[in-house]
Amino acid sequence: LRVLVGAGADERALVEQVALLGVEGYELRFERAERSGIAATRAVVRAREERHHRHLADIERIIDDSRLGERVKSRAKLIFKKLAEAEARVHGVGVERIHFHEVGALDSIVDVVGACVGFELLGVERFVCSPLHVGSGTVEMAHGRFPVPPPAVAELLRGAPVYSTGVGGELVTPTGAAIVAALCESFGPLPPLTVEATGYGAGARDYEGFPNVLRVLVGAPGAAEFERLLMIETNVDDVSPQVIGHVAEQALARGALDCYVTPVQMKKNRPGVLVSILCRPAEREAMFELLFAETTTIGARCYEVERRALEREVVAVGTEFGPIDVKVARLRGEVKGFTPEYEQCREAAARAGVPLRIVEEAARAAFRQSDF
């Protein structure tokens, strides 16, 4: 949360968006701090003291009942689900029996939702991490004193590269580990990147000779980079076209990059459809849950694909029908194609009482005459 503000997420917008969670009894503000000579941002979340512990279903209900955006909701619920699954493995019980202690408190809910809002404000589409410095020593928790990393954090970081030095203390918290487990696509060296912003989030403690900060780099991927994505598919032959359309809309609302439907001939010569959803790994669970909730399928398959995309941006051009956004695709800076936003053109055409093609052509002409 703090590091995303340091990287450029608007503080006021973030606070306003978190307020859409619809809960009371907390305060969220940001302070400037210094750690080993580095100027950083510190997030301060203060919440009323609570004597009850929440289950996963309680937290999901709070998020579902809020006015947050669908992708923020999806990411936040996935983070808490990862936490619950890790705690369940540690205690040897079912996920439904897990009641959160520290991470189920109001301040932790605000922290997780705030991080998801920050991702959205920065337009983060892909999240990668370096190996994680977990710290050393022991930490006091609700169930007693445990070695660093504590059990739930160790579970959450399965498959992630970690390391420890002589720095004493817990450097990766359960909340931070859950965010990484839910949203991080891969670990390793910095991928090809055009750096647009850098942010530093201040840790609570100040260590001698060690900058206790979390750094994030925000930027556009290199032009020649191939992006690893997931294709999730399922075949159905007993779902109405209206439901299929609804599934496609919901998939895109929850972060899918594309969703399309292909007519297929299924077993016993039944006509059906193949629903294909292209998404990033962070949205995988949300897409599976969508298919299982909204269709009759009892199974879906998933496989990795690679995509190389042109550089894209949206620019606004002025026309006699009002401003229209134009999507522009470039290859090494050269414009390879541009398309006026259909919905804006349709609305402008309806207001002016002219054919849609007239507005679209006006937007194209305005772009050709611009300096973009």
Side-chain angles (χ1 to χ4, degrees):
L1 177 56
R2 57 187 180 271
V3 72
L4 298 176
V5 169
D10 185 80
E11 291 183 21
R12 179 177 297 180
L14 195 149
V15 172
E16 291 174 350
Q17 286 292 309
V18 172
L20 298 178
L21 190 58
V23 297
E24 298 180 348
Y26 76 91
E27 176 194 4
L28 171 61
R29 56 186 173 84
F30 299 93
E31 299 175 347
R32 301 299 174 253
E34 182 181 303
R35 295 290 184 267
S36 300
I38 296 177
T41 303
R42 181 168 177 259
V44 179
V45 183
R46 301 191 186 280
R48 64 172 181 264
E49 186 176 349
E50 298 176 300
R51 297 187 179 181
H52 65 281
H53 300 305
R54 294 182 175 89
H55 290 76
L56 177 62
D58 300 322
I59 296 175
E60 289 180 331
R61 190 177 304 110
I62 292 172
I63 295 171
D64 284 332
D65 291 344
S66 74
R67 294 184 290 122
L68 295 164
E70 285 301 320
R71 185 145 68 159
V72 172
K73 287 183 179 181
S74 175
R75 282 173 166 169
K77 289 195 295 183
L78 181 58
I79 291 168
F80 280 108
K81 182 179 179 182
K82 291 288 186 182
L83 270 168
E85 290 172 344
E87 291 281 3
R89 287 194 295 269
V90 168
H91 297 295
V93 299
V95 170
E96 69 283 352
R97 294 183 56 190
I98 291 297
H99 56 272
F100 294 116
H101 295 278
E102 294 93 341
V103 293
L106 186 57
D107 55 349
S108 293
I109 296 174
V110 170
D111 207 16
V112 168
V113 170
C116 296
V117 169
F119 268 63
E120 201 71 8
L121 291 175
L122 290 175
V124 174
E125 296 292 343
R126 185 184 178 203
F127 175 34
V128 299
C129 278
S130 64
L132 300 172
H133 187 182
V134 296
S136 64
T138 60
V139 60
E140 193 72 39
M141 307 190 74
H143 292 288
R145 180 170 290 274
F146 293 93
V148 173
V153 172
E155 283 292 333
L156 286 162
L157 296 183
R158 278 192 188 187
V162 301
Y163 68 98
S164 177
T165 64
V167 177
E170 182 187 22
L171 299 184
V172 179
T173 65
T175 302
I179 292 173
V180 169
L183 305 183
C184 181
E185 178 179 322
S186 62
F187 296 87
L190 188 68
L193 188 74
T194 301
V195 178
E196 298 172 352
T198 304
Y200 293 90
R205 298 180 179 178
D206 208 345
Y207 294 98
E208 181 78 25
F210 173 74
N212 186 19
V213 296
L214 175 65
R215 183 176 72 168
V216 65
L217 303 178
V218 180
E225 183 184 7
F226 283 84
E227 186 177 12
R228 290 190 296 274
L229 303 174
L230 297 179
M231 183 67 78
I232 299 174
E233 295 181 337
T234 190
N235 300 59
V236 291
D237 60 6
D238 56 352
V239 177
S240 73
Q242 292 89 342
V243 170
I244 294 297
H246 173 71
V247 168
E249 291 175 358
Q250 287 297 304
L252 295 173
R254 299 183 188 191
L257 299 170
D258 197 5
C259 181
Y260 54 91
V261 180
T262 308
V264 293
Q265 197 73 17
M266 297 175 59
K267 60 184 179 182
K268 299 183 179 179
N269 290 322
R270 295 173 181 167
V273 295
L274 168 65
V275 180
S276 303
I277 300 176
L278 182 68
C279 68
R280 292 187 170 85
E283 277 76 49
R284 176 175 58 184
E285 289 304 316
M287 299 306 150
F288 272 106
E289 289 178 3
L290 172 66
L291 290 174
F292 291 142
E294 298 286 359
T295 76
T296 57
T297 189
I298 58 174
R301 54 197 171 274
C302 175
Y303 54 91
E304 189 176 274
V305 298
E306 286 190 341
R307 179 183 76 164
R308 181 180 174 186
L310 295 178
E311 306 157 42
R312 286 163 288 180
E313 64 175 329
V314 177
V315 300
V317 299
T319 74
E320 60 185 291
F321 306 104
I324 300 291
D325 287 341
V326 177
K327 289 188 289 188
V328 186
R330 302 178 191 272
L331 178 61
R332 290 184 287 275
E334 179 185 351
V335 175
K336 303 301 293 183
F338 59 93
T339 306
E341 284 285 358
Y342 165 75
E343 288 294 340
Q344 292 182 7
C345 290
R346 183 182 63 80
E347 293 172 2
R351 286 195 305 268
V354 300
L356 173 63
R357 60 181 177 80
I358 300 297
V359 178
E360 290 179 330
E361 186 50 48
R364 292 191 186 95
F367 178 80
R368 293 189 189 99
Q369 296 168 9
S370 69
D371 296 327
F372 297 117

